[in-house]
Amino acid sequence: MPIKQLQEVDIKRKTLVIRQDLNAPMKDGHITNDKRIRAALSTIETALAGGAGVIVLSHLGRPTEEQYEEQFSLKPVAERLTKLLGLAVPLVAGFEDAKAAPGQCVLMENVRFLKGEKKNDPTLAAKLAALGDVYVMDAFGAAHRAHASTEGAVHLAPVACVGLLMAAELAAFAKVMDRPQRPLVAVIGGSKVSTKLGILKNLLDKIDSLIVGGGIANTFLAAAGCNVGASFCERDLIPEAEKIMNQAKTQGKELPLPVDLVTAAELAPGQKAVSREAGAVQDKEMILDIGPKTVERYAALLDKAATVVWNGPVGAFETDPFGAGTKALATILANSKAFVVVGGGDSVAAVEGYGLADKMGYISTGSGASLELLEGKVLPSVAALEDRG
């Protein structure tokens, strides 16, 4: 069903309540990365330019409900918004002070301080919805949570619509999941098959090729009969990996496994890295990255792609010297002619760390939400917006 867009709503002299995901990482009360705040600016600035007053809602961390905790206060976020918008953005403690005249913007304190937020209490949802004339859901990073501010209030608001950021996120994933240019290649990495089994199964019917990496690849290598030594491997899921490989073969889908690997005695900085052919890993060795022959094999496959979705690194990229494979993959995708969507915290961190983010087709701001979209699930916030559409 169609979702009402912000551009379709008359916002002049109206009060807009915008649910954003401003859950920025903090250290000692200071923001260490403001990318989520910067990503939220387009919706806020559009509302202000359209003559609306803006009340921004967000969560931060996981505080104890009904208990103010200084470390989870949005005060640093209000200060950063003030600087980025060039407009005073006061932090207000509660509903009584949550008011904004046209051209003004206020930030309400952490919604997870409120009783009933995480339980999607209808009374709280109604109070949040009643703060303004229009409720704008723009927190893609929290769209997979059925909370009072992300789902309940959308149902109860006088008018509800999607913000610019969340609309862009949904459009990017629609290009992958619903109407991809082909060939479509999925690169799914990370440590555990168990956390991404649903994604692998869902994507297999949609993609033309599937690349698995990281600890996930270890389980597939074991399923193929290769010794993975002391590597992390979910042996109880080997039968599931076998089913996926057999299904891919039956459907004529490519599912290439690593042909060479980088191993070490343990995952720790400065370890001596040893190159091994797949199947030649020693019993006490850990697989920690893919080798250059595997990179070449993946590069040849990705060179044919028109659409690529990447979620999860292909090695322990945070620890030197086991990041070469992930860096090589990121570089290949950055130079690709394909439309590339990058989702998942580790993949995004890798791409940004290598300075390649601006060369990707789309960088998602929501790790959990993007995973659920790839798994084929309907996000609670999206279902609510469709209901109001």
Side-chain angles (χ1 to χ4, degrees):
M1 293 178 65
I3 292 174
K4 182 168 292 204
Q5 306 291 310
L6 176 60
Q7 302 92 313
E8 299 171 353
V9 181
D10 178 13
I11 63 173
K12 189 173 183 179
R13 303 194 68 79
K14 301 285 181 64
T15 299
L16 269 58
V17 183
I18 306 179
R19 175 54 161 104
Q20 297 283 10
D21 178 13
L22 307 179
N23 186 27
M26 301 274 187
K27 185 176 182 180
D28 300 326
H30 297 284
I31 297 168
T32 58
N33 187 321
D34 68 353
K35 66 180 181 180
R36 287 184 174 177
I37 302 174
R38 286 183 281 109
L41 293 179
S42 60
T43 299
I44 298 172
E45 289 174 335
T46 296
L48 293 171
V54 174
I55 300 170
V56 179
L57 307 179
S58 180
H59 73 282
L60 180 68
R62 298 179 179 180
T64 303
E65 192 176 276
E66 289 190 280
Q67 182 175 316
Y68 175 83
E69 297 176 72
E70 182 69 25
Q71 63 179 346
F72 297 117
S73 172
L74 286 170
K75 183 180 178 181
V77 175
E79 293 172 351
R80 186 61 56 92
L81 274 175
T82 294
K83 182 177 180 181
L84 292 171
L85 288 171
L87 174 76
V89 181
L91 179 68
V92 297
F95 290 91
E96 299 79 10
D97 299 317
K99 297 178 178 63
Q104 292 182 335
C105 178
V106 302
L107 175 64
M108 191 167 157
E109 187 56 281
N110 194 336
V111 291
R112 289 190 179 172
F113 288 165
L114 301 173
K115 181 180 179 180
E117 163 63 6
K118 294 176 71 173
K119 292 184 178 180
N120 201 2
D121 178 68
T123 300
L124 175 60
K127 290 181 69 176
L128 293 171
L131 283 171
D133 305 297
V134 181
Y135 200 90
V136 184
M137 178 56 192
D138 203 33
F140 179 74
H144 58 309
R145 307 294 188 193
H147 291 174
S149 67
T150 60
E151 197 262 356
V154 175
H155 284 293
L156 300 173
V159 177
C161 66
V162 67
L164 302 182
L165 171 62
M166 187 159 161
E169 294 271 8
L170 295 175
F173 280 98
K175 285 185 179 182
V176 173
M177 303 298 290
D178 302 329
R179 48 182 185 277
Q181 295 292 314
R182 295 191 179 275
L184 167 60
V185 180
V187 182
I188 307 298
S191 60
K192 295 182 178 181
V193 174
S194 55
T195 60
K196 296 185 178 179
L197 185 59
I199 294 173
L200 295 171
K201 289 180 176 180
N202 183 56
L203 286 177
L204 202 54
D205 288 330
K206 301 177 181 294
I207 51 85
D208 299 293
S209 302
L210 173 63
I211 294 172
V212 292
I216 292 174
N218 296 343
T219 303
F220 278 79
L221 284 167
C226 296
N227 181 23
V228 296
S231 309
F232 178 82
C233 175
E234 293 178 287
R235 297 190 180 277
D236 59 323
L237 291 178
I238 286 177
E240 293 291 344
E242 290 174 339
K243 288 180 183 178
I244 291 171
M245 290 192 293
N246 289 334
Q247 184 181 340
K249 185 176 181 180
T250 300
Q251 295 179 345
K253 310 288 180 70
E254 291 189 77
L255 203 168
L257 296 180
V259 293
D260 63 336
L261 304 154
V262 177
T263 68
E266 61 178 317
L267 176 56
Q271 287 288 305
K272 180 182 179 181
V274 179
S275 296
R276 297 284 188 194
E277 297 294 316
V281 176
Q282 303 300 299
D283 288 344
K284 295 184 179 180
E285 291 179 329
M286 299 178 68
I287 300 170
L288 298 171
D289 199 4
I290 56 174
K293 293 180 183 177
T294 300
V295 170
E296 289 180 9
R297 188 180 188 192
Y298 292 171
L301 184 61
L302 291 165
D303 185 57
K304 305 172 188 176
T307 308
V308 179
V309 58
W310 177 24
N311 189 295
V314 294
F317 77 99
E318 308 99 324
T319 306
D320 187 60
F322 309 117
T326 298
K327 185 175 183 180
L329 177 66
T331 303
I332 290 166
L333 294 178
N335 294 323
S336 173
K337 296 177 182 179
F339 176 70
V340 179
V341 176
V342 183
D346 287 339
S347 303
V348 172
V351 167
E352 292 183 336
Y354 302 139
L356 300 172
D358 61 344
K359 295 186 177 181
M360 302 296 176
Y362 193 82
I363 302 291
S364 179
T365 60
S367 180
S370 65
L371 286 173
E372 294 204 4
L373 283 179
L374 293 177
E375 198 170 341
K377 294 181 178 179
V378 176
L379 306 181
S381 295
V382 173
L385 287 165
E386 288 179 339
D387 183 59
R388 296 301 307 274

